[in-house]
Amino acid sequence: MSCCDLAAAGQLGKAGIMASDCEPALNQAESRNPTLERYLGALREAKNDSEQFAALLLVTKAVKAGDIDAKTRRRIFDAVGFTFPNRLLTTKEAPDGCPDHVLRALGVALLACFCSDPELASHPQVLNKIPILSTFLTARGDPDDAARRSMIDDTYQCLTAVAGTPRGPRHLIAGGTVSALCQAYLGHGYGFDQALALLVGLLAAAETQCWKEAEPDLLAVLRGLSEDFQKAEDASKFELCQLLPLFLPPTTVPSECLRDLQAGLARILGSKLSSWQRNPALKLAARLAHACGSDWIPAGSSGSKFLALLVNLACVEVRLALEETGTEVKEDVVTACYALMELGIQECTRCEQSLLKEPQKVQLVSIMKEAIGAVIHYLQQVGPEKQKEPFVFASVRILGAWLAEETSSLRKEVCQLLPFLVRYAKTLYEEAEEANDLSQQVATLAISPTTPGPTWPGDALRLLLPGWCHLTVEDGPREILIKEGAPSLLCKYFLQQWELTSPGHDTSVLPDSVEIGLQTCCHIFLNLVVTAPGLIKRDACFTSLMNTLMTSLPSLVQQQGRLLLAANVATLGLLMARLLSTSPALQGTPASRGFFAAAILFLSQSHVARATPGSDQAVLALSPDYEGVWADLQELWFLGMQAFTGCVPLLPWLAPAALRSRWPQELLQLLGSVSPNSVKPEMVAAYQGVLVELARANRLCREAMRLQAGEETASHYRMAALEQCLSEP
């Protein structure tokens, strides 16, 4: 058989390629082509390679490209099987006068024909050819050789068919296809555009696995695409805008890529564009903002102007989409604009190293205020049937980001929306799994078909906590939140989130947002304790909360790296104990004693005596564990000292318990060992408050303080109230 005959036999694969264009009824096709039946019989009965070649050639001549259907392809496979194509793919000896790749080309053509059947595309005999097929994509040869080009086309058809099966992407990634596709694209040889299309599909289906298996090669493709994007002067730059989000890695984006991407976006967005040109650029910018924050934007005048332009365009797009009632909203574009607005909010509230100058911040805040007004207007129209839609979640997210920083503007509109926000948060809290799914849908909607780098919060309530923390300070919004049942919802949410941090759960895998959410809940409860004490006393949910705080603090204060959360829990518990002092749970029960012992531990370990060079007297200094977080902690510490002081006269058992802990004695010992000049007046006042109440509440406390030179120490620090108290019998 000649080389030309082999090439003709290879056309069987082309028949398979075009089969999807025309698949007539099977019984009609068979009745029209009895010759094909005879040739298939000959193919089945072939005893050697030569006879199979001849039969394949006859089948090729009998089957026209448009006449082959799925069942006919399957019958050809049944006649040929995988053994023959396997030998063709691995043989190194070609007939005289034929290039060495001709047999492989025929083998690939047969596989391409078979892979048109989805069942065969996932067959183990096809899957184990993935490594061989991948090598064909980067094999060297004559770029003008028609047979080689045909083999490359057939190879892409095979790999694309496998990628379309349920587990196909996983098999392709494991078989080295991603690296081969990257190299084929970067080589810009024949079929490189098909390599890029298949890469896009694999990244969309299994981004994490692709990057894990072929990060260096994918980064090389990203560098190439970014450079092309920066240089592009034609319509290709808009096509690249759509492709590039898929190639951004889940880890750090190379700086040279960020530079090229920013330069390309600056040229696009700085021009007058139609929406189909501008929208992909906004989505790419949103993907970069979500993955890199503002790190991809250069410092200086050009960077600040670019950021201001981004946020301005995003706000305009949001207003155009949401202010017009009845207008079809392009949700993916608007959600991308939300991400850019979040970037603007972050930069406008950043005090140090902000890209924006103060006049720019003022201008952008005004522009964003109008866009947030449009978001509120949209949410006011949302009915119960739409509450589970991803775009509503995204809209609540951007409103939450705004309220976290700004509640004074749009106050009337925000108050009108609060009932909806409470109901919405409650609905998603009660259906937590759907809330997590919504979060992922929002990420997909806003950024790209891939999972973004940083994790989006998995529930609506966490998005709203910072804003509600500000609003509970104000009378009007606080009353609305209380009326709508927000405190009860927050208590349930806190208890549920607390379970995630309890013993038996692996806290190392928890996102930081869980602990931050718990701290913010504590801040809201602290606001309610101060501004609505009656609510704390009458609502049963706060009794449950108090029980959880009491049982949790003893273990929490012992855990490394969780001092700030412990401070919140201790201070909140102490303030609530003052209001709930008549509760049976606080009458010297084991839980209450354990809680106050842990609170004393937190309050007593904040400061130590530290020697100073060249001085005989030590100074009062922060203990090492408290130094790094004192800026965030000190207000809670002083509030905790004040709350403990208030609990002493209300709980008769507390003063003896404090005495047994030796806190008053050790406190006086600490003050006696340091220079009074090193103790700030506010510290003196806090210490005196605790010591005075303990001395007044219990005779044994007074005696212990006197034995610890309490009167002398009180005199040195001008603690008149303590000095007077200790002078009494």
Side-chain angles (χ1 to χ4, degrees), residues 128-247:
N128 66 22
K129 303 298 181 301
I130 289 174
I132 298 175
L133 293 172
S134 297
T135 63
F136 295 163
L137 300 180
T138 56
R140 295 183 179 181
D142 182 359
D144 297 323
D145 187 305
R148 186 176 293 280
R149 290 190 171 203
S150 177
M151 182 176 73
I152 291 174
D153 286 335
D154 288 335
T155 299
Y156 281 118
Q157 182 178 347
C158 291
L159 297 175
T160 301
V162 172
T165 63
R167 298 194 174 194
R170 186 184 69 177
H171 289 293
L172 291 174
I173 294 166
T177 303
V178 176
S179 290
L181 291 170
C182 291
Q183 293 166 26
Y185 173 75
L186 293 170
H188 276 248
Y190 179 76
F192 77 98
D193 53 337
Q194 297 181 70
L196 185 61
L198 188 49
L199 265 179
V200 167
L202 291 177
L203 283 167
E207 178 194 36
T208 302
Q209 293 87 338
C210 286
W211 281 100
K212 183 178 179 180
E213 291 294 326
E215 181 172 348
D217 294 303
L218 285 169
L219 286 175
V221 173
L222 174 61
R223 289 186 181 94
L225 291 173
S226 301
E227 188 175 350
D228 292 343
F229 179 62
Q230 193 272 334
K231 294 178 180 178
E233 298 290 347
D234 56 13
S236 65
K237 59 187 176 184
F238 303 115
E239 298 171 3
L240 286 168
C241 274
Q242 296 176 328
L243 287 177
L244 278 162
L246 290 157
F247 287 90

Side-chain angles (χ1 to χ4, degrees), residues 384-394 424-443 456-461 463 496:
E385 72 283 357
K386 288 189 174 183
Q387 286 194 10
K388 296 180 183 178
E389 293 184 2
F391 184 65
V392 175
F393 188 93
Y424 180 77
K426 183 178 181 181
T427 298
L428 264 63
Y429 167 74
E430 292 173 348
E431 301 174 14
E433 290 187 3
E434 291 192 30
N436 283 319
D437 182 58
L438 270 179
S439 177
Q440 288 303 312
Q441 291 182 52
V442 170
W456 288 54
D459 58 73
L461 191 50
L463 307 176
Q496 181 232 34

Side-chain angles (χ1 to χ4, degrees), residues 97-413:
C98 286
D100 58 3
H101 64 269
V102 168
L103 293 180
R104 293 195 298 273
L106 178 56
V108 177
L110 287 170
L111 283 183
C113 175
F114 300 156
C115 285
S116 300
D117 183 337
E119 186 177 340
L120 291 179
S122 59
H123 194 284
Q125 286 285 350
V126 171
L127 299 179
N128 66 22
K129 303 298 181 301
I130 289 174
I132 298 175
L133 293 172
S134 297
T135 63
F136 295 163
L137 300 180
T138 56
R140 295 183 179 181
D142 182 359
D144 297 323
D145 187 305
R148 186 176 293 280
R149 290 190 171 203
S150 177
M151 182 176 73
I152 291 174
D153 286 335
D154 288 335
T155 299
Y156 281 118
Q157 182 178 347
C158 291
L159 297 175
T160 301
V162 172
T165 63
R167 298 194 174 194
R170 186 184 69 177
H171 289 293
L172 291 174
I173 294 166
T177 303
V178 176
S179 290
L181 291 170
C182 291
Q183 293 166 26
Y185 173 75
L186 293 170
H188 276 248
Y190 179 76
F192 77 98
D193 53 337
Q194 297 181 70
L196 185 61
L198 188 49
L199 265 179
V200 167
L202 291 177
L203 283 167
E207 178 194 36
T208 302
Q209 293 87 338
C210 286
W211 281 100
K212 183 178 179 180
E213 291 294 326
E215 181 172 348
D217 294 303
L218 285 169
L219 286 175
V221 173
L222 174 61
R223 289 186 181 94
L225 291 173
S226 301
E227 188 175 350
D228 292 343
F229 179 62
Q230 193 272 334
K231 294 178 180 178
E233 298 290 347
D234 56 13
S236 65
K237 59 187 176 184
F238 303 115
E239 298 171 3
L240 286 168
C241 274
Q242 296 176 328
L243 287 177
L244 278 162
L246 290 157
F247 287 90
L248 295 177
T251 54
T252 305
V253 182
S255 58
E256 64 271 24
C257 296
L258 293 177
R259 188 168 52 249
D260 287 341
L261 293 173
Q262 189 275 330
L265 282 171
R267 280 211 311 276
I268 291 176
L269 295 174
S271 307
K272 188 175 181 179
L273 302 171
S274 60
S275 60
W276 73 267
Q277 295 170 321
R278 180 178 59 253
N279 291 347
L282 289 173
K283 292 171 72 174
L284 173 58
R287 178 69 171 88
L288 289 167
H290 194 59
C292 309
S294 61
D295 292 344
W296 61 288
I297 301 176
S301 176
S302 62
S304 63
K305 289 179 180 178
F306 174 71
L307 176 58
L309 174 65
L310 270 184
V311 178
N312 208 328
L313 288 173
C315 291
V316 170
E317 193 70 34
V318 168
R319 291 188 63 191
L320 288 174
L322 301 184
E323 286 181 347
E324 296 289 337
T325 305
T327 303
E328 182 181 355
V329 177
K330 294 179 180 178
E331 295 179 351
D332 57 338
V333 178
V334 176
T335 310
C337 291
Y338 287 166
L340 297 175
M341 287 175 61
E342 279 198 54
L343 179 62
I345 292 170
Q346 292 167 9
E347 286 300 314
C348 284
T349 54
R350 180 179 294 181
C351 298
E352 297 180 0
Q353 297 182 332
S354 174
L355 292 171
L356 298 170
K357 297 179 180 178
E358 201 58 36
Q360 290 174 312
K361 291 182 180 182
V362 172
Q363 184 181 20
L364 284 183
V365 167
S366 176
I367 294 169
M368 287 190 288
K369 174 184 172 182
E370 295 175 349
I372 292 297
V375 174
I376 294 174
H377 171 74
Y378 165 77
L379 290 175
Q380 287 170 337
Q381 319 303 316
V382 172
E385 72 283 357
K386 288 189 174 183
Q387 286 194 10
K388 296 180 183 178
E389 293 184 2
F391 184 65
V392 175
F393 188 93
S395 300
V396 171
R397 174 186 168 91
I398 185 60
L399 178 59
W402 172 264
L403 293 177
E405 305 296 342
E406 174 57 59
T407 57
S408 59
S409 60
L410 299 171
R411 182 175 301 179
K412 179 181 177 182
E413 292 83 353

